Coordinates of all heavy atoms in Angstrom, one line a residue:
G1 N -69.4 29.1 -148.1 CA -68.9 29.3 -146.8 C -69.4 30.8 -146.3 O -68.6 31.6 -145.9
R2 N -70.7 31.0 -146.3 CA -71.1 32.3 -146.1 C -71.6 32.6 -144.6 O -72.1 31.8 -144.0 CB -72.5 32.6 -146.9 CG -73.1 33.9 -146.9 CD -74.4 33.9 -147.5 NE -75.0 35.1 -147.9 CZ -75.6 36.1 -147.2 NH1 -75.6 35.8 -145.8 NH2 -76.1 37.1 -147.7
T3 N -71.2 33.8 -144.1 CA -71.6 34.2 -142.8 C -71.8 35.7 -142.9 O -71.1 36.4 -143.4 CB -70.5 34.0 -141.7 OG1 -71.0 34.2 -140.5 CG2 -69.2 34.7 -142.0
P4 N -73.0 36.1 -142.4 CA -74.0 35.3 -141.7 C -74.8 34.4 -142.7 O -74.6 34.7 -143.9 CB -75.0 36.4 -141.1 CG -74.8 37.5 -142.0 CD -73.4 37.7 -142.4
D5 N -75.5 33.5 -142.2 CA -76.1 32.5 -143.1 C -77.1 33.1 -144.0 O -77.4 32.6 -145.2 CB -76.8 31.4 -142.3 CG -75.8 30.5 -141.6 OD1 -74.6 30.5 -141.9 OD2 -76.1 29.7 -140.6
A6 N -77.8 34.2 -143.6 CA -78.8 34.9 -144.3 C -78.7 36.4 -144.0 O -78.3 36.8 -142.9 CB -80.1 34.4 -144.2
G7 N -79.1 37.2 -145.0 CA -79.1 38.6 -144.7 C -77.7 39.3 -144.6 O -76.8 38.7 -145.2
Y8 N -77.6 40.4 -143.9 CA -76.2 41.1 -143.9 C -75.9 41.5 -142.4 O -76.7 41.6 -141.6 CB -76.4 42.4 -144.8 CG -76.9 42.3 -146.1 CD1 -78.2 42.2 -146.4 CD2 -76.0 42.1 -147.1 CE1 -78.8 42.0 -147.7 CE2 -76.5 42.1 -148.5 CZ -77.8 41.9 -148.8 OH -78.3 41.8 -150.0
W9 N -74.6 41.8 -142.2 CA -74.1 42.6 -141.2 C -74.1 44.0 -141.6 O -73.9 44.3 -142.6 CB -72.8 42.1 -140.7 CG -72.7 40.8 -140.0 CD1 -73.7 40.2 -139.1 CD2 -71.7 39.8 -140.0 NE1 -73.3 39.0 -138.8 CE2 -71.9 38.8 -139.2 CE3 -70.4 39.9 -140.6 CZ2 -71.3 37.6 -139.0 CZ3 -69.6 38.7 -140.5 CH2 -70.0 37.7 -139.6
S10 N -74.4 45.0 -140.7 CA -74.3 46.3 -141.0 C -72.9 46.8 -140.8 O -72.2 46.4 -140.0 CB -75.2 47.1 -140.1 OG -75.2 48.5 -140.3
I11 N -72.4 47.7 -141.7 CA -71.1 48.2 -141.7 C -70.9 49.4 -140.7 O -71.5 50.5 -141.1 CB -70.7 48.8 -143.1 CG1 -70.8 47.6 -144.1 CG2 -69.3 49.4 -143.1 CD1 -70.5 48.0 -145.6
P12 N -70.3 49.1 -139.6 CA -70.2 50.3 -138.6 C -69.2 51.3 -139.1 O -69.6 52.5 -138.9 CB -69.7 49.6 -137.3 CG -69.9 48.1 -137.5 CD -69.7 47.9 -139.1
S13 N -68.1 50.9 -139.7 CA -67.1 51.8 -140.1 C -66.3 51.4 -141.3 O -66.0 50.3 -141.3 CB -66.1 52.0 -138.8 OG -65.0 52.9 -139.2
T14 N -66.0 52.3 -142.1 CA -65.3 51.9 -143.3 C -64.5 53.3 -143.9 O -65.0 54.3 -143.5 CB -66.2 51.5 -144.5 OG1 -65.5 51.3 -145.6 CG2 -67.4 52.4 -144.7
N15 N -63.4 53.0 -144.5 CA -62.8 54.2 -145.2 C -63.4 54.4 -146.5 O -62.9 55.3 -147.3 CB -61.3 54.0 -145.3 CG -60.9 52.8 -146.3 OD1 -61.9 52.2 -146.8 ND2 -59.5 52.6 -146.5
G16 N -64.4 53.6 -146.9 CA -65.1 54.0 -148.1 C -64.7 53.2 -149.3 O -65.4 53.1 -150.4
T17 N -63.5 52.6 -149.2 CA -62.9 51.9 -150.4 C -62.4 50.5 -150.1 O -62.6 49.5 -150.8 CB -61.8 52.7 -151.0 OG1 -60.9 53.1 -150.1 CG2 -62.5 53.9 -151.6
T18 N -61.5 50.4 -149.0 CA -60.7 49.1 -148.8 C -60.7 48.6 -147.4 O -60.1 47.6 -147.2 CB -59.3 49.5 -149.2 OG1 -58.7 50.5 -148.3 CG2 -59.1 49.8 -150.7
T19 N -61.5 49.2 -146.5 CA -61.5 48.6 -145.2 C -63.0 48.7 -144.6 O -63.8 49.5 -144.8 CB -60.7 49.4 -144.2 OG1 -61.2 50.7 -144.0 CG2 -59.2 49.4 -144.6
I20 N -63.3 47.6 -143.7 CA -64.5 47.6 -142.9 C -64.0 47.2 -141.4 O -63.2 46.3 -141.3 CB -65.4 46.6 -143.3 CG1 -66.1 47.0 -144.8 CG2 -66.6 46.3 -142.3 CD1 -67.0 46.0 -145.3
T21 N -64.4 48.0 -140.5 CA -64.0 47.7 -139.1 C -65.5 47.4 -138.3 O -66.4 48.2 -138.4 CB -63.5 48.9 -138.4 OG1 -62.2 49.2 -139.1 CG2 -63.2 48.6 -137.0
D22 N -65.5 46.2 -137.7 CA -66.8 45.7 -137.2 C -66.4 44.9 -135.9 O -66.1 43.8 -135.9 CB -67.6 44.9 -138.1 CG -68.9 44.5 -137.5 OD1 -69.1 44.7 -136.4 OD2 -69.8 44.0 -138.3
A23 N -66.4 45.5 -134.6 CA -66.0 44.9 -133.4 C -66.8 43.8 -133.0 O -66.5 42.9 -132.5 CB -65.8 46.0 -132.4
A24 N -68.2 43.9 -133.5 CA -69.2 42.9 -133.1 C -69.0 41.5 -133.9 O -69.4 40.5 -133.4 CB -70.6 43.4 -133.2
H25 N -68.4 41.6 -135.1 CA -68.4 40.4 -135.9 C -67.0 40.0 -136.5 O -66.9 38.8 -136.8 CB -69.3 40.7 -137.1 CG -70.8 40.9 -136.7 ND1 -71.4 42.1 -136.9 CD2 -71.7 40.2 -136.1 CE1 -72.7 42.1 -136.4 NE2 -72.9 40.9 -136.0
L26 N -66.1 40.9 -136.7 CA -64.9 40.6 -137.4 C -63.8 40.4 -136.5 O -63.5 41.2 -135.6 CB -64.6 41.7 -138.4 CG -65.5 42.0 -139.6 CD1 -65.0 43.2 -140.4 CD2 -65.7 40.7 -140.4
N27 N -63.0 39.2 -136.8 CA -61.8 38.8 -136.1 C -61.2 37.7 -136.8 O -61.8 37.1 -137.6 CB -61.9 38.7 -134.6 CG -63.0 37.5 -134.4 OD1 -62.8 36.4 -134.7 ND2 -64.1 37.9 -133.6
A28 N -60.0 37.3 -136.4 CA -59.3 36.3 -137.3 C -59.9 34.9 -137.0 O -59.6 34.1 -137.8 CB -57.9 36.3 -136.8
T29 N -60.8 34.7 -136.0 CA -61.4 33.5 -135.9 C -62.6 33.3 -136.8 O -63.1 32.2 -137.1 CB -61.9 33.2 -134.5 OG1 -62.9 34.2 -134.0 CG2 -60.7 33.3 -133.5
V30 N -63.1 34.4 -137.4 CA -64.3 34.5 -138.1 C -63.9 34.5 -139.7 O -64.6 33.9 -140.5 CB -65.2 35.6 -137.9 CG1 -66.4 35.8 -138.9 CG2 -65.6 35.6 -136.4
V31 N -62.8 35.1 -140.1 CA -62.5 35.3 -141.5 C -61.1 35.3 -141.6 O -60.2 35.7 -140.8 CB -63.1 36.7 -141.9 CG1 -62.6 37.9 -141.2 CG2 -62.9 36.9 -143.4
S32 N -60.7 34.9 -142.8 CA -59.2 34.8 -143.1 C -58.9 35.7 -144.3 O -59.7 35.9 -145.2 CB -58.8 33.4 -143.4 OG -59.2 32.5 -142.5
A33 N -57.6 36.0 -144.5 CA -57.2 36.6 -145.8 C -57.4 35.6 -146.8 O -57.1 34.4 -146.7 CB -55.7 37.1 -145.6
G34 N -57.8 36.1 -148.0 CA -58.1 35.2 -149.1 C -59.6 35.0 -149.3 O -60.0 34.6 -150.4
A35 N -60.4 35.2 -148.3 CA -61.8 35.2 -148.4 C -62.4 36.4 -149.1 O -61.6 37.3 -149.5 CB -62.4 35.0 -147.0
D36 N -63.7 36.3 -149.4 CA -64.4 37.4 -150.1 C -65.3 38.2 -149.1 O -65.8 37.6 -148.2 CB -65.3 36.9 -151.1 CG -64.6 36.1 -152.2 OD1 -63.4 36.5 -152.6 OD2 -65.1 35.2 -152.8
V37 N -65.3 39.5 -149.3 CA -66.4 40.3 -148.5 C -67.2 40.8 -149.7 O -66.8 41.4 -150.7 CB -65.7 41.5 -147.8 CG1 -64.9 42.4 -148.6 CG2 -66.8 42.3 -147.2
V38 N -68.6 40.7 -149.5 CA -69.6 41.1 -150.5 C -70.3 42.3 -149.9 O -70.9 42.1 -148.8 CB -70.5 40.0 -150.9 CG1 -71.5 40.4 -151.9 CG2 -69.7 38.7 -151.3
C39 N -70.2 43.4 -150.5 CA -70.7 44.7 -150.0 C -71.9 45.1 -150.9 O -71.9 45.1 -152.1 CB -69.7 45.8 -149.9 SG -68.2 45.4 -149.0
R40 N -72.9 45.7 -150.1 CA -74.0 46.2 -150.8 C -73.7 47.6 -151.0 O -73.9 48.6 -150.1 CB -75.4 46.0 -150.0 CG -76.6 46.6 -150.7 CD -77.8 46.3 -150.0 NE -79.1 46.7 -150.6 CZ -80.3 46.7 -150.2 NH1 -80.4 46.3 -148.8 NH2 -81.3 47.0 -150.8
E41 N -73.3 48.0 -152.2 CA -72.8 49.4 -152.5 C -73.7 50.3 -153.2 O -73.5 51.5 -153.1 CB -71.5 49.2 -153.3 CG -70.4 48.5 -152.6 CD -69.1 48.1 -153.4 OE1 -69.0 48.6 -154.5 OE2 -68.3 47.3 -152.9
L42 N -74.8 49.8 -153.8 CA -75.9 50.5 -154.3 C -77.1 49.8 -153.9 O -77.1 48.6 -153.4 CB -75.9 50.6 -155.8 CG -74.7 51.5 -156.4 CD1 -74.7 51.4 -157.9 CD2 -74.8 53.0 -156.0
M43 N -78.3 50.4 -154.0 CA -79.5 49.8 -153.5 C -79.7 48.5 -154.1 O -80.2 47.5 -153.4 CB -80.7 50.7 -153.9 CG -82.0 50.3 -153.3 SD -82.1 50.3 -151.6 CE -82.1 52.0 -151.2
Y44 N -79.5 48.2 -155.3 CA -79.6 47.0 -156.0 C -78.4 46.4 -156.5 O -78.4 45.7 -157.6 CB -80.7 47.1 -157.1 CG -82.0 47.7 -156.7 CD1 -82.4 49.0 -156.9 CD2 -82.9 46.8 -155.9 CE1 -83.6 49.5 -156.4 CE2 -84.1 47.3 -155.5 CZ -84.5 48.6 -155.7 OH -85.6 49.1 -155.3
Q45 N -77.3 46.7 -155.9 CA -76.0 46.1 -156.5 C -75.0 45.6 -155.4 O -74.8 46.3 -154.3 CB -75.2 47.2 -157.3 CG -74.0 46.7 -157.9 CD -73.4 47.7 -158.9 OE1 -74.1 48.5 -159.5 NE2 -72.1 47.7 -159.0
L46 N -74.6 44.4 -155.5 CA -73.7 43.7 -154.6 C -72.3 43.7 -155.3 O -72.4 43.2 -156.5 CB -74.1 42.3 -154.0 CG -75.4 42.4 -153.3 CD1 -75.7 40.9 -153.0 CD2 -75.4 43.2 -152.0

């Protein structure tokens, strides 16, 4: 159940550890609590 289907969304705003804010993509119709967020945290590490 991946979105976007390919590639990534860019992270507009984050506290660096536990939140991402993205007005262009994130809301309750797109994602639910219990889902996974996969972040690119190093050049070659997800």
Side-chain angles (χ1 to χ4, degrees):
R2 186 191 199 279
T3 188
D5 291 345
Y8 305 86
W9 288 329
S10 179
I11 301 175
S13 176
T14 173
N15 68 357
T17 54
T18 60
T19 66
I20 292 176
T21 300
D22 186 349
H25 300 111
L26 295 179
N27 56 66
T29 64
V30 175
V31 62
S32 308
D36 299 327
V37 57
V38 181
C39 303
R40 187 176 183 184
E41 297 172 14
L42 292 174
M43 184 64 69
Y44 301 105
Q45 183 170 328
L46 300 176

